[in-house]
Amino acid sequence: MTHYDLLIIGTGSGNSIVDERFDCLRVAIAEAGLFGGTCLNVGCIPTKMFVHTADLAAAAADSSAFGIRTSFGGADWPAIRDRVFGRIDPIEAGGREYRTNRQPNVTVYPEHVRFTGPKSFTTASGTEFTADRVVLAAGSRAQIPALPGIDTDRVDTPGYPVMTNDTVMRMSALPETMTIVGGGFIAAEFAHVFSALGVDVTVLVRGEGLLTAADATVTERFTRAFSAHHRVHLGTQIRQAEVSADGVRLQLEASGRVPDSPVPDDITTDVVLLATGRVPNIDGLGLDAAGIDVVAGRVAVDDHQRVLSDGAPLPGVFALGDISSPHLLKHVANHEARIVQANLLADIAAGAPGAAPDSALETTNHRAVPAAVFSRPQVASVGATEDAVRASGAEYTVKIQEYADVAYGWALEDTTGFVKIIADRSTRQILGAHLMGDEASMIVQPLIQAMAFGLPADRMAREQYWIHPALPEAVENALLGLEFTD
């Protein structure tokens, strides 16, 4: 039976682990899908390339506030799509070719692999092997809810008009109509993309708002601003779907989550996009055979990214990214991959799986984890929500600064954007920051830095220059508006 020193399952952030320091080891890499994982192929990168195109289209369609007359004349969808994947697909192919053909110490299994024991494995085609050390980096996948009339086995298959983010960006042509099911960041981003490109989009949300995991101020104000540009039905769900050659007919009903919400008329749509979240790829890995702990649907790990079995580290087994992290974010997975890489090298240097002492291992830093939603408007956040801070019992101060009250906000003709900062009244430490509006994902960065390095809010505001009249003045003014104890 073939034996490896290291097995990595998944080629998203896990693919970055193996460098020249692993040249002396026999390495196996298992990837049943596309090299590069979710972010490269169906997530962060292609969606943001589409979002930028949508931003340009939306700006062209609505410029009267600036005293100029422009219009959106339509989208060349094949050109838009091919610009995106003409860059991404060669990267995927190049990564696969490099690992497969140009690293003699690496064996690629282009198929599903599962545990048959703590350190034994089998592939989907029946090849068996063993490995001393393992990295679980299998990521996550689109959650496909059970909806009456929709065949979950046919979702994302050619010709079936029900899709997820895995296939919707590669459509052969833009549909005339699209119904998006969901109210999170995936729904918000794709609604912006396709409506800006001329598709008649309807968004069905079971709850009472969009982005409900965000700070309450963001949820309320984003829902209002987003609904001004998109057709949104809150408190609504699908009662029955009828798929035919003409599209999908949806019979709708109240979800029961929004009192007195009206039930929209039935609709017929060319495409249904399921955007109801993501789930870790833990099923089918044979985790029970290895005795691996699963908590809240994720592989359980400690602060060194070691996989747990009965609450204790399983020697030589690590996990990272969406399969084990509550933060389904590429930048978190990248950080965790660096931690796993360092700890793998320490483990190897110690001479046996699990032999490295805790003192020799690096610890994951999940402080000040930021996130952004690239929709219209854009949203960014870091740290705790106001509800969470209030529930903690902390004495806090909060300030909301409108974009409209700073000079660059005037230039933007912005009427909805804001910066919200929450800080501890006595320590002056920033506890959370929540932004909505143009370039929110950029201007949140100094707040992330302040939280990461413990810079008090009052020092941050006063002990540096803020370019006038740039948009970060909204951050400066929010900081200056916080009220601290003497």
Side-chain angles (χ1 to χ4, degrees):
M1 184 180 294
T2 304
H3 179 76
Y4 297 97
D5 299 303
L6 171 63
L7 165 66
I8 297 176
I9 299 178
T11 60
S13 295
N15 193 42
S16 67
I17 290 173
V18 177
D19 59 16
E20 67 278 359
R21 290 171 290 181
F22 294 83
D23 285 350
C24 60
L25 303 180
R26 294 192 69 184
V27 178
I29 296 177
E31 176 56 74
L34 296 171
F35 256 65
T38 296
C39 177
L40 174 66
N41 295 288
V42 297
C44 330
I45 295 174
T47 56
K48 302 321 167 278
M49 294 177 75
F50 279 105
V51 162
H52 181 67
T53 301
D55 288 344
L56 296 175
D62 183 15
S63 59
S64 59
F66 303 96
I68 55 176
R69 290 187 294 274
T70 62
S71 62
F72 170 66
D76 182 348
W77 173 253
I80 294 170
R81 180 199 60 210
D82 294 349
R83 179 185 81 92
V84 174
F85 292 107
R87 175 167 293 187
I88 287 171
D89 289 348
I91 297 173
E92 190 277 339
R96 181 182 298 275
E97 194 276 335
Y98 175 73
R99 291 297 194 201
T100 303
N101 299 322
R102 289 194 279 162
Q103 288 195 291
N105 67 311
V106 174
T107 298
V108 173
Y109 290 97
E111 56 184 324
H112 187 76
V113 167
R114 63 178 174 86
F115 286 90
T116 56
K119 297 294 178 70
S120 59
F121 308 87
T122 186
T123 69
S125 62
T127 301
E128 297 182 346
F129 60 90
T130 57
D132 286 334
R133 296 175 176 86
V134 184
V135 176
L136 300 178
S140 63
R141 66 183 184 278
Q143 178 173 298
I144 300 177
L147 297 172
I150 290 178
D151 185 346
T152 56
D153 291 334
R154 296 188 64 192
V155 172
D156 283 333
T157 62
Y160 197 66
V162 183
M163 306 180 184
T164 71
N165 61 289
D166 284 355
T167 56
V168 74
M169 290 179 283
R170 292 184 183 264
M171 291 186 296
S172 59
L174 279 178
E176 292 186 8
T177 58
M178 175 182 289
T179 298
I180 299 178
V181 181
F185 73 94
I186 299 173
E189 291 184 355
F190 278 117
H192 167 47
V193 167
F194 287 109
S195 64
L197 296 181
V199 179
D200 184 357
V201 173
T202 300
V203 182
L204 304 180
V205 183
R206 296 180 67 191
E208 57 186 359
L210 296 137
L211 306 185
T212 53
D215 182 86
T217 304
V218 171
T219 299
E220 189 275 325
R221 294 185 59 166
F222 179 85
T223 301
R224 184 169 5 119
F226 183 89
S227 298
H229 298 284
H230 304 86
R231 185 186 304 111
V232 179
H233 296 305
L234 301 177
T236 303
Q237 63 187 19
I238 295 172
R239 179 165 62 87
Q240 183 69 41
E242 300 174 12
V243 180
S244 70
D246 297 325
V248 186
R249 181 172 179 79
L250 299 174
Q251 300 174 31
L252 307 177
E253 64 182 3
S255 67
R257 298 186 180 186
V258 181
D260 302 321
S261 62
V263 178
D265 294 334
D266 297 348
I267 58 177
T268 298
T269 185
D270 294 328
V271 170
V272 173
L273 172 61
L274 301 178
T276 53
R278 299 188 65 80
V279 293
N281 283 322
I282 63 170
D283 50 326
L285 284 178
L287 300 181
D288 289 344
I292 291 173
D293 294 345
V294 174
V295 177
R298 299 186 295 270
V299 170
V301 295
D302 66 7
D303 291 342
H304 306 296
Q305 298 301 131
R306 294 180 296 189
V307 168
L308 302 180
S309 177
D310 290 331
L314 192 59
V317 183
F318 299 83
L320 64 93
D322 292 1
I323 198 169
S324 59
S325 177
H327 307 285
L328 274 64
L329 298 164
K330 178 61 171 177
H331 42 278
V332 173
N334 284 345
H335 168 72
E336 292 173 354
R338 290 190 292 270
I339 299 300
V340 168
Q341 182 188 61
N343 292 343
L344 266 175
L345 291 169
D347 195 64
I348 292 165
D358 288 3
S359 60
L361 302 178
E362 294 193 14
T363 301
T364 306
N365 172 12
H366 285 152
R367 299 189 307 274
V369 174
V373 181
F374 295 81
S375 185
R376 184 186 186 198
Q378 199 176 107
V379 170
S381 64
V382 60
T385 65
E386 184 176 0
D387 285 347
V389 172
R390 185 184 301 112
S392 74
E395 291 291 326
Y396 69 93
T397 174
V398 60
K399 172 64 177 178
I400 297 176
Q401 174 64 52
E402 306 293 335
Y403 274 27
D405 292 335
V406 300
Y408 205 85
W410 307 348
L412 295 171
E413 290 293 334
D414 187 279
T415 59
T416 62
F418 67 92
V419 175
K420 177 179 181 178
I421 301 177
I422 308 159
D424 188 287
R425 285 180 61 86
S426 57
T427 67
R428 294 166 163 75
Q429 292 294 310
I430 299 170
L431 304 176
H434 309 279
L435 294 73
M436 187 181 89
D438 276 26
E439 306 300 353
S441 62
M442 293 188 183
I443 68 171
V444 73
Q445 193 62 45
L447 293 162
I448 300 168
Q449 184 172 347
M451 292 180 67
F453 293 100
L455 179 64
D458 54 343
R459 290 190 58 197
M460 180 186 178
R462 297 188 180 280
E463 295 184 17
Q464 64 177 318
Y465 282 105
W466 297 83
I467 293 175
H468 177 78
L471 196 52
E473 280 190 318
V475 175
E476 177 193 20
N477 289 350
L479 291 165
L480 292 171
L482 296 168
E483 298 179 354
F484 299 110
T485 56
D486 295 332

